[in-house]
Amino acid sequence: MQKAAQIDEEHKLLTCLNFKRHDWLNHLQVMTGYLSLREYDRLRNYVTRVLDEAEREGQIFQIAYAPLAHYLLTYNIFAKDTAFNVHIAANVTRLKAQVGECLLQAICTFEQVIAAACTRKATDVVTIDLALHDSENKVPSGCSYVLYVDVTPPPAVYEALRNTNWALVQKQLGPWCEDVTIDWDGRTLECGVRVAGQAK
């Protein structure tokens, strides 16, 4: 059993490395194409986009709680119906383990609800925007963070999400989060939670 688990982890690692290799090869091919066509403005814009993506990924690498960083870095490689677009504020990477675990549980809860709606309604990949910021409401421990989860789903998924029992979702988040807000702005689902350091 232990050997099988080890083989599975090694397979996942190789999958991740191959994904990143393929991703960077694609970037190089696009940049080489713009260069050969002397499309310098498009090349400059593309390089800027690639650097922005690398910087966002670098912020995730700096998260001190490894299970959260691992989850965010590998999610898009293995997920089928959803994809993360992650923005981490520079001052929130040094998370204590308790905070990191609470944030991981909150993100997983939202992801499972949204992914379930996508699975029930066959659709293109739905992007989930995740943003993590330092909270202005300080707590005695000094560590309080706000997680924002936004998604603008296609019509079929929108209806499935509107019919979700969000009161139950808020209850599920209860042990991990404070100040849970779930709202709709037009066709965009906007969620926010505050995490203050440990499960209640």
Side-chain angles (χ1 to χ4, degrees), residues 1 20 28 35 45 49 51 56 72 81 100 105 112 115 117 132 148 151 153-154 170 182 193-194:
M1 180 68 73
K20 297 308 297 182
L28 290 173
L35 187 61
N45 291 336
R49 197 188 87 188
L51 290 175
R56 286 199 300 270
L72 294 176
D81 301 307
Q105 293 297 329
Q112 289 166 7
L132 179 60
Y148 299 101
V151 59
Q170 287 178 304
I182 298 172
V193 298
R194 187 168 72 89

Side-chain angles (χ1 to χ4, degrees), residues 174-192:
W176 307 101
C177 307
E178 301 175 356
D179 305 329
V180 180
T181 60
I182 298 172
D183 198 10
W184 289 91
D185 181 10
R187 299 191 70 84
T188 299
L189 172 64
E190 297 181 342
C191 309

Side-chain angles (χ1 to χ4, degrees), residues 28-44:
L28 290 173
Q29 288 174 351
V30 171
M31 289 186 284
T32 301
Y34 283 141
L35 187 61
S36 64
L37 294 172
R38 298 183 180 180
E39 295 279 358
Y40 300 123
D41 287 340
R42 290 187 176 183
L43 174 61
R44 187 178 299 107

